[in-house]
Structures are given as structure tokens and as C-alpha cells.
Amino acid sequence: MTALLPSASRPSDRTPAPPHVELAGVTRTFGTTLALAGVDLAVPAGSLTVIVGPSGCGKSTILRMIAGLDAPDSGTLRIAGDDVTARAAGERDVAMVFQDYALFPHMTVEGNISFGLRLQARHHRRSGPGRDEIRARVGEVCALLGLDNLLHRRPAQLSGGQRQRVALARAIVRRPALLLLDEPLSALDPQLRASARAEIRRLHRELGTTLVLVTHDQHEALSMATHLIVMDQGTVAQSGNPGELYRHPCNELVATFLGTPRMNLHDRDGVRIGWRPADGRSATHRDGVPPGAFLVDGVVESCEFTGDGQHARCAGPDGTFVLVQREGESWLEPGDTARVTVPAARLHRFGPDGRRLP
Amino acid sequence: MSEPAENSTLGRRHRVRLAVAGWHLTLGTLCALTAFPLLWAVLTSLKPANEVFTTTPLSAHPTLDNYADVLTRWPAGELIGRTAVMATGVAVGQLVIAVLAAFALAYFRPGARPLVLGLTTVSLAIPPQALIVPQFLLTARLGWLDTEAGLIVPQLGSSALAVLVLLQHVEALPPSLIAAARLEGARPAELLWHVVLPGLRPAVAALGVLVFITTWNEYLWPLLVTPDALHTTVQVGLAQFETAEGINYGGLLAAATLTSLPIVLVYLAASRRITDAFLTSGLR
């Protein structure tokens, strides 16, 4: 098994197909606030691209622009090679799942799912889907998402998870080339979230559709993405393979945003040294420090038990840091002195401007 | 549980009960004040002519003569029919105008939106009587005197309230609902019909009833357009009971009672639908 970490073996990275969605120099201001400050990004065809970032970074605005619900002030937007900057929503072969699901409350589940197809049938009498085809396709997606028994319910009679699946079904029944998901898991309770994540990944595999998902949850982003875009203050901070972003963050923001507990940072000789809490090894004073390794001392202030280990929050002359101890490693208690070594290969170095140093 | 706590909850319960009692007393008084004239009118309509001015509420010799009189000598059916046509026409017309205007103002956000909204609001402040002369002249020149068009069309001019109320409701619809419909490929008309209108149902029903009842009770305009007392609306027709020899109160009140029945029916039918619509709305 080589696929434990997302790596170059993913199809989206192997085939250099032209990007499905491309934004070039896109800006957008709302009143006096600059929401997007010249965004350049590419969504690889067939990928499950996750756009992640702190709230207010512009990620939802990008999704709305791809959908055609918002227009850039300047810059261009291409979908499948075509400049669609001026094309209306609904003419872009794009479907979207909204954060609040936006199900039509007066329609049944079946009515909601078939809405787009029924409109197509009316708009294109000849080429549009017929009544039998609509029924067949609704049945197909309902089987795919386990909604067969709910066809005649109204949204008010459904649970949160069921509503989410209806929203997904409505989005995919038209077989759009591009599927957009705006914080699709935020309204679900934590137990449902894990299964919904798996559900979305399964749909992505089975449909082969390009999928763009927006979230503020870095854990969700890392676990779902085949292509990850981290945004900050209206620009793309870094994009690429999630494993690559996690291991080689290009700046401090990406480094601290991805991964929990967040990366520890220490100032040494005008350079910021970063290390992930799980990469540190607690060592006793008698152990020698391996050559090139980073050494940091502290006193344990508090410990969190996590089931398979513990998170020890420590304070020392180099500032505070968190150390992850796994089952089987020496257990720490508040008041203990902690001496931590980090292997040279696991260190991240950032310059005064926050950029990664080679 | 300790004694003082017990006492304080009891005290609170007492206070709540007192507040509820006071509230009910106020509402009851208001209901009585509203209902009393109506009740008196109905009771008087059951009195023979020589008892009309007595102060005993119940007649010693209750009679339906007034009703028989009204039904035989007064064109009740025709008047009610014409009024119903007028009230329905005005209610439907105003709602069509208001739904289209509210949707257009909310969805397309035209540049003239502030101007249109300003004029609409200002038109609420103009008393209808101020416009009645030019409106009457215009209607007369169009040859609409004594016609349904003359009764209905000029009254569509007072759609401002309906427009403003519905605009509020359109803008209160969740934006994601509109966005979802657009992404599904809905054109503006389809968006209005399939998504916006179902969401407006409670407001449309309530406004419909309101406009219907207001129009039903309209007096001045029908009096000008259809002055012939036998081919007019009920409110104007009621004036027939004012004769040279005095007012026939028994007949007047019997006719008024009869002609109120359709409104009561409309209200009963619609209030049920309004509550239903409120109950079945709700997005998430």
C-alpha cells in the first residue's frame, strides 16, 4: 500500500489534462472591502478540489462566481476552455449544493430532484428529456443516494442528512460537468459528517465529475481533496496536492492552517522554525541530540487525553509548543520538564516575511 | 425543595395568571365593543317597524318580514353579484400587479427602483378623494360609466400597499432558493411561478382577503360610476332604503346583514387557507 498519503499516484495529478476551471486575475470588491484581490487558480479536470481558508478569505465568493451567481469586477473565468465570465448562471453546465441546501419547500423530494430536468424538457421540446427518462434518472440518483423511500416527502419532513442527500441528488441528476459544494457538511452533526465525507468521495469516484468544495475546516479539506487550494485574504496562498501542502507549506499561514494541533513555531537567529506536534520526540537529558536535530525545552502546562495518545501543552524559553505523545511513548504530566528533539528532515523554516526558506 | 423557592414560583405563577387574565379582559372588551353594533343591527333587522326605536335588544314579536321585504323588493342577488365581480376583479388585479411589480423590483433591481418605490410610497399618502374628479372624467371619456371595467380598472390604481407588502415578502425569501432555481436553469418567469409564488402564498392570500373586503365596502367610486340604484353595488344600493319619507331601518339593516354574509364566508374560507399556508411554509 503506497496510498496512505495522497501522492502523485492520484489520476488527477498523473494526467496533465487542461484545467476544468480557470480563474485569471479575478478581483471583486463589496463596498469598500476587497473580497478577491487578483485570484489565479486552476481546478484540474476530474479532481475533487477543495478550497479552504479562514472565514472572509473569499472562498465562497469564488464558488458563487464559478456558478455565475456573482460576477468578477475584473479578470476572466474559463470553464472547459471557454470564457464564461459573462455567461449567465444556468448556462454553464454547473450544479451547486448550497450550505442551507435550498430545497424548494413546497415540492416533494421527487419534485425537487426533477425540477431542473422538467425545466430542460420544457425549454427543449425535442432534445430535452422525456417523461420516462426523467423518471428513470430520478430513480437512478435516488438509488445511488438511498432516497428511494422518501420520494413523496417534503423537505420539512426530512432529517438534516436526508436533506443533504436530496440536495446532492438534485445537483447530480442533470449530470453536470462541474459540481460545486458550498460548506456541504457544516449543517450536519459530527457523527453524520464522517459518513457524508465518505459519501461525497464515493460520488466523486463513481461520477467522474469535477467537484469543487468550499470549507473552512482544514481537516475536511485534507481528508477529501485530491487538489487543495488554501486561500487567505482574497488571494490563493498555495495550491496543489494535499500531502505536498501539508509537508511543504509555502508560508506560515498554510503551515499553521493545515494540521491539528497546529504547527509549533519558534524564533531562532532571525528565522522561524516550525515543527508539527507529532514530529517531536520527547527525550531525556541523558540522550544525545542527533546531528542537525532541533532541540526545544519546556515545562508541561496541561495535557489532553485523546484516546490513542495525549497532547501536551508546554512552555519554555522558546515560547509555548504542543507535543503529541502516542500510546507507548512516555506519558507526560503537568509540571514535567519536556525536552523535545525534532529530526532535521521534519523542520520547516520561514523567513521574516513568512515565506518558506529553502 | 425549600419553602421560599416554592413561594416564589407560586408567586410567579400567580403573576402570569393575572397577566393572562388581564390580557383576556382587554381582548374581551375590544371584542364586545366591535361586536355590539353588529349584534344590534342584526337584532334590529328582526324587529317589526314599530319597534325599531325601542331600546330592548330583543323584539317582543320577532319577524322575518324585513328579510322577505328585502328579497322581494330589493335586487339583492344582482347587487351582490355585481359587487362580487367588482371585489374579485380588484383583488385579483391588484395581486397580479403587486406580484409582478414586487418580483421585478426585487429580482431585477432596476435602476429606477428607488424612484418607483418612492412614488409607490407617496401614492399611499394621497387621499383617493383628491383624485376622484380627474379619474371620473377619464372613466367617462373612455365610455366606461356603468360598466364592470369602470368599476374595476380605476381601483387598481391603489395597489401601492399590496406592492410594498409583497416586496417585503419576496426579499425575505432565502436568496439560496432563488440561486438554486437559477442554477437549475429556471428563467425569470419560471422562477416567479415555481419558486417565488409558492413562497408568497400566505401573504398573497392575506392581501387578497384584505383587498376584497375593502373593495366590497367601497362606496364613493361605485356611486359615481354606477349611480343607478338598481344596477350598482350593495353599498350604494343600501342607500335606497333612505327614502323621502325617512329611513327604513328594518329593511336597511336586514339588507346590510344579508350583504355582509359573502364577506364572512370569504373570510372564513380564506383564514383557514392563510393559517394552512403559514404552517406548511418553512425552509429547513
Side-chain angles (χ1 to χ4, degrees):
Chain A
M1 281 297 281
T2 54
L4 270 177
L5 279 170
S7 68
S9 63
R10 299 269 178 137
S12 56
D13 296 69
R14 195 174 46 212
T15 46
H20 195 141
V21 182
E22 228 180 336
L23 273 73
V26 168
T27 64
R28 180 77 169 99
T29 50
F30 294 109
T32 55
T33 50
L34 187 62
L36 300 179
V39 170
D40 301 292
L41 67 78
V43 174
S47 67
L48 198 171
T49 294
V50 177
I51 304 178
V52 69
S55 57
C57 69
K59 54 193 190 297
S60 288
T61 309
I62 287 186
L63 206 66
R64 293 175 56 79
M65 273 181 187
I66 299 174
L69 298 171
D70 200 348
D73 293 334
S74 65
T76 55
L77 170 67
R78 291 173 175 279
I79 296 179
D82 298 333
D83 187 340
V84 298
T85 316
R87 203 182 288 175
E91 291 170 16
R92 298 185 177 193
D93 198 13
V94 167
M96 183 158 166
V97 174
F98 292 83
Q99 195 172 357
D100 62 5
Y101 309 140
L103 300 178
F104 305 123
H106 57 284
M107 293 184 200
T108 60
V109 167
E110 188 178 22
N112 265 285
I113 297 174
S114 64
F115 184 66
L117 292 177
R118 285 184 284 134
L119 290 178
Q120 275 180 17
R122 199 172 309 141
H123 297 170
H124 313 283
R125 290 262 141 108
R126 298 238 175 72
S127 58
R131 192 172 295 181
D132 295 336
E133 194 193 339
I134 292 178
R135 196 171 309 135
R137 276 166 69 174
V138 171
E140 201 178 293
V141 293
C142 285
L144 189 67
L145 288 160
L147 293 167
D148 311 76
N149 300 324
L150 307 172
L151 281 180
H152 301 294
R153 298 248 191 114
R154 282 174 200 276
Q157 301 165 305
L158 300 176
S159 71
Q162 289 167 337
R163 279 174 214 179
Q164 197 224 20
R165 281 184 281 139
V166 174
L168 273 171
R170 182 177 68 183
I172 63 178
V173 75
R174 286 186 293 124
R175 297 176 187 153
L178 182 59
L179 181 58
L180 310 175
L181 301 142
D182 187 9
E183 306 252 0
L185 308 178
S186 64
L188 298 180
D189 50 67
Q191 294 102 311
L192 267 178
R193 241 177 251 186
S195 64
R197 275 206 304 265
E199 183 91 20
I200 290 172
R201 278 203 306 269
R202 177 178 71 95
L203 278 179
H204 174 248
R205 254 197 330 272
E206 289 179 11
L207 300 171
T209 309
T210 307
L211 210 143
V212 182
L213 187 148
V214 157
T215 179
H216 62 267
D217 182 338
Q218 55 85 26
H219 176 62
E220 210 170 288
L222 282 173
S223 63
M224 295 181 77
T226 65
H227 184 80
L228 184 57
I229 298 175
V230 180
M231 290 201 57
D232 178 45
Q233 295 178 359
T235 56
V236 173
Q238 192 176 3
S239 66
N241 178 289
E244 172 67 20
L245 263 62
Y246 185 80
R247 283 185 299 258
H248 301 286
C250 72
N251 62 28
E252 262 184 58
L253 175 111
V254 177
T256 52
F257 188 75
L258 299 179
T260 41
R262 52 182 263 157
M263 182 184 281
N264 297 305
L265 290 168
H266 306 280
D267 286 313
R268 285 261 173 100
D269 311 324
V271 176
R272 298 271 267 177
I273 308 280
W275 55 281
R276 299 220 176 261
D279 289 338
R281 288 282 164 273
S282 147
T284 60
H285 283 276
R286 278 171 300 159
D287 292 349
V289 177
F294 182 75
L295 181 72
V296 59
D297 285 306
V299 177
V300 179
E301 287 191 324
S302 63
C303 292
E304 269 175 37
F305 179 58
T306 58
D308 57 351
Q310 66 170 178
H311 295 172
R313 192 166 298 277
C314 312
D318 288 307
T320 59
F321 59 90
V322 174
L323 176 68
V324 171
Q325 294 284 89
R326 295 218 179 68
E327 191 81 65
E329 292 177 311
S330 60
W331 223 238
L332 293 168
E333 298 285 346
D336 287 356
T337 53
R339 156 162 285 214
V340 178
T341 59
V342 187
R346 298 293 188 140
L347 290 176
H348 306 263
R349 295 149 53 81
F350 303 100
D353 57 353
R355 293 232 189 115
R356 183 182 191 86
L357 298 174
Chain B
M1 190 177 260
S2 65
E3 272 304 303
E6 186 84 10
N7 278 343
S8 86
T9 38
L10 268 179
R12 192 176 309 147
R13 233 179 256 166
H14 267 297
R15 250 175 288 144
V16 168
R17 214 171 277 173
L18 262 177
V20 170
W23 185 232
H24 278 119
L25 195 68
T26 315
L27 289 177
T29 314
L30 285 174
C31 279
L33 284 175
T34 317
F36 177 74
L38 297 175
L39 191 65
W40 194 261
V42 173
L43 291 174
T44 307
S45 71
L46 296 169
K47 290 176 177 177
N50 58 351
E51 275 183 42
V52 162
F53 293 105
T54 60
T55 50
T56 45
L58 285 173
S59 166
H61 315 281
T63 169
L64 286 172
D65 283 355
N66 287 323
Y67 288 89
D69 203 35
V70 162
L71 287 175
T72 49
R73 297 190 17 222
W74 196 59
E78 193 186 330
L79 295 181
I80 289 178
R82 195 153 201 195
T83 315
V85 168
M86 173 183 78
T88 309
V90 172
V92 170
Q94 285 203 10
L95 287 175
V96 169
I97 291 171
V99 166
L100 291 175
F103 177 66
L105 287 170
Y107 183 71
F108 298 108
R109 295 203 154 253
R113 182 186 144 109
L115 181 72
V116 173
L117 281 182
L119 288 176
T120 310
T121 314
V122 165
S123 81
L124 278 177
I126 301 175
Q129 289 82 354
L131 300 172
I132 213 122
V133 173
Q135 216 168 48
F136 176 75
L137 291 176
L138 186 60
T139 309
R141 296 244 173 95
L142 285 167
W144 282 358
L145 290 187
D146 210 17
T147 65
E148 261 68 38
L151 277 175
I152 293 169
V153 176
Q155 295 199 58
L156 298 182
S158 45
S159 306
L161 184 70
V163 172
L164 295 176
V165 169
L166 284 188
L167 180 61
Q168 297 289 320
H169 280 85
V170 174
E171 298 199 322
L173 292 175
S176 63
L177 220 52
I178 311 286
R182 280 175 65 197
L183 281 182
E184 294 288 307
R187 295 166 182 167
E190 292 163 334
L191 191 65
L192 172 61
W193 186 253
H194 293 293
V195 178
V196 174
L197 209 49
L200 292 181
R201 226 162 45 183
V204 166
L207 271 175
V209 174
L210 193 70
V211 176
F212 184 90
I213 293 177
T214 314
T215 314
W216 184 277
N217 292 330
E218 188 63 41
Y219 181 73
L220 183 57
W221 186 250
L223 177 67
L224 289 173
V225 179
T226 53
D228 179 353
L230 294 178
H231 305 280
T232 184
T233 65
V234 285
Q235 307 303 336
V236 180
L238 288 175
Q240 265 217 292
F241 293 92
E242 269 178 73
T243 60
E245 303 100 63
I247 300 172
N248 172 4
Y249 279 107
L252 177 64
L253 293 175
T257 305
L258 273 182
T259 54
S260 301
L261 288 179
I263 295 193
V264 173
L265 289 179
V266 164
Y267 181 76
L268 286 180
S271 73
R272 180 71 193 281
R273 287 198 58 187
I274 294 170
T275 357
D276 281 355
F278 270 118
L279 288 176
T280 51
S281 67
L283 176 68
R284 290 225 256 171

